[in-house]
């Protein structure tokens, strides 16, 4: 563990406050891709400005898209014919490494993709083989991962793709987002275990339709789901990005573990963001969740209840829920998230290791993890270059004095100002 250790603030009283979270990473990166293939310029507001989104902006600019920021979180996007050659840095961004290769295939020239060392361990074979099935040449030296090169000739015929997306819903979203530019569009047929994070594909479908694309979706059987996007012109137009509900979950968790009250303004009444489901999870764990015109307000319980839950559709919330579950009065089982072994790190192994390092009691399940009540004591929490593990450590630190989190700066992946926002909430009660 490195010497870059952040002393997680401890809640000396129930946390009380209001937190304005930045825009959704998932929506931001989808909006940027759709604006790049629109017929007319787009104006996007409340963009998330983080490492992931900045890498997406740089990648689209490298392919010829004109993106000009009009203020800190708003941009004017002017689409142009995509072109290479180009080198794309994916960092650790799963959305970038899965969304951009199909789009790059519609450009002209060699497009090289690479990323951080951790990104090279993430599975990419489904994207690579799908592009080859669509007639696109890809060189990866049989790795099935980064780095690889897309040899684009400005034309993707499109057609029917059979794939196994049980490792990540992003494989499906990546193909659907660029499909309006394919000669005959695309039909994606999933064959395998249930697709995780289906709400993220629903988000993709909704945003495509809002931009004017013709999309069909059949997910009645999640082991044989399929989606079709017809070719044609689209226009994203003026688009306002919702607050990031997954990032908001960590601040709401502060209320749950401390018995306090936290409000997130502008919480959407209707949304495709999977993070909205944190309300049901925290309610099951004993919290009170109220959504009204002011936003979402969560009040923590006197005693946290253990939970046995399938998190397949909200896997990204697993570290946050685990950070609450370690303080429950009974055992918890977080299931349906075997795919987390292929995220920025093996999140299941990481969570078990760090919970046990803190004196807790956790073990891996075939598709998740089990957590039993135990007394926690101070420790240095490793983050594995994973932003969700960093926020896990911050939440635990609220009730375990002396907890220190390695490399809190990894939160810049989706929320660069997290340390300041967290400190202001815990010590000052609000965030502007």
């Amino acid at each position: 563990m490195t010497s870059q250790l952040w002393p997680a603030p401890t809640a000396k009283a129930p946390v009380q406050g209001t937190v304005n979270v930045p825009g959704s990473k998932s929506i931001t990166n989808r909006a940027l891709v759709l604006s790049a293939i629109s017929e007319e310029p787009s104006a996007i507001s409340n963009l998330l400005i983080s490492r992931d989104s900045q890498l997406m902006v740089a990648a689209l600019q490298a392919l010829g898209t004109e993106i000009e920021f009009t203020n800190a979180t708003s941009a004017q996007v002017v689409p142009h014919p995509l072109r290479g050659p180009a080198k794309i840095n994916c960092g650790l961004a799963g959305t970038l490494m899965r969304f951009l290769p199909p789009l790059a295939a519609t450009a002209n020239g060699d497009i090289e993709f690479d990323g951080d060392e951790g990104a090279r361990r993430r599975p990419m074979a489904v994207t690579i083989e799908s592009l080859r099935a669509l007639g696109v040449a890809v060189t990866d030296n049989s790795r099935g991962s980064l780095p690889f090169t897309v040899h684009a000739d400005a034309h993707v015929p499109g057609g029917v793709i059979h794939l196994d997306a049980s490792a990540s819903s992003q494989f499906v979203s990546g193909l659907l987002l660029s499909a309006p530019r394919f000669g005959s569009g695309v039909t994606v047929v999933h064959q395998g275990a249930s697709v995780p994070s289906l709400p993220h594909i629903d988000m993709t479908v909704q945003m495509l339709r809002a931009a004017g694309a013709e999309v069909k979706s059949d997910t009645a059987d999640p082991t044989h789901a399929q989606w079709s996007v017809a070719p044609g012109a689209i226009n994203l137009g003026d688009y306002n990005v919702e607050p990031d509900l997954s990032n908001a979950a960590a601040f709401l968790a502060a209320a749950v573990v401390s018995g306090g009250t936290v409000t997130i303004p502008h919480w959407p009444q209707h949304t495709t963001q999977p993070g909205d489901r944190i309300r049901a999870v925290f309610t099951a764990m004993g919290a009170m969740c109220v959504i009204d015109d002011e936003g979402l307000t969560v009040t923590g319980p006197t005693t946290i209840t253990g939970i046995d839950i399938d998190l397949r559709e909200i896997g990204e919330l697993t570290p946050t829920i685990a950070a609450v579950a370690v303080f429950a009065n009974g055992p918890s089982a977080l299931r349906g998230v075997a795919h987390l072994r292929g995220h920025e790190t093996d999140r299941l192994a990481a969570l078990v290791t760090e919970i046990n390092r803190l004196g807790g009691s956790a073990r891996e399940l075939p598709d998740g993890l089990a957590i039993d009540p135990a007394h926690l004591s101070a420790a240095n929490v490793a983050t594995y270059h994973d932003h969700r593990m960093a926020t896990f450590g911050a939440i635990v630190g609220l009730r375990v004095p002396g907890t220190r989190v390695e490399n809190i700066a990894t939160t810049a992946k989706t929320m660069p100002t997290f340390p300041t926002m967290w400190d202001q909430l815990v010590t000052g009660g609000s965030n502007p």
Side-chain angles (χ1 to χ4, degrees), residues 104-117:
T106 67
N108 192 14
D110 288 350
I111 317 297
E112 300 176 32
F113 289 85
D114 203 354
D116 294 357
E117 189 60 36

Side-chain angles (χ1 to χ4, degrees), residues 67-130:
I67 303 176
E68 179 181 354
F69 280 84
T70 54
N71 61 41
T73 60
S74 299
Q76 184 82 6
V77 182
V78 181
H80 295 288
L82 301 180
R83 48 152 179 80
K87 294 184 177 181
I88 305 300
N89 176 17
C90 298
L92 280 170
T95 50
L96 178 51
M97 66 182 75
R98 276 79 180 257
F99 290 3
L100 257 291
L103 181 65
T106 67
N108 192 14
D110 288 350
I111 317 297
E112 300 176 32
F113 289 85
D114 203 354
D116 294 357
E117 189 60 36
R120 293 183 174 188
R121 295 191 293 268
R122 300 189 71 173
M124 286 297 299
V126 173
T127 292
I128 292 168
E129 293 306 320
S130 295

Side-chain angles (χ1 to χ4, degrees), residues 16 22 35 88 122 155 233 253 256 258 286 307 353 357 361-362 404:
Q16 308 281 341
S35 66
I88 305 300
R122 300 189 71 173
H155 178 65
V256 181
S258 72
I307 191 170
T353 297
R357 188 199 306 276
S361 176
R404 299 193 297 175

Side-chain angles (χ1 to χ4, degrees), residues 256-293:
V256 181
V257 302
S258 72
T261 299
V262 172
T263 297
I264 307 293
H266 312 299
W267 194 279
Q269 295 280 350
H270 305 284
T271 181
T272 55
Q273 286 193 66
D276 184 49
R277 304 189 184 194
I278 197 65
R279 294 186 290 140
V281 176
F282 284 164
T283 298
M285 299 182 87
M288 181 174 67
C289 301
V290 176
I291 186 169
D292 55 26
D293 292 341

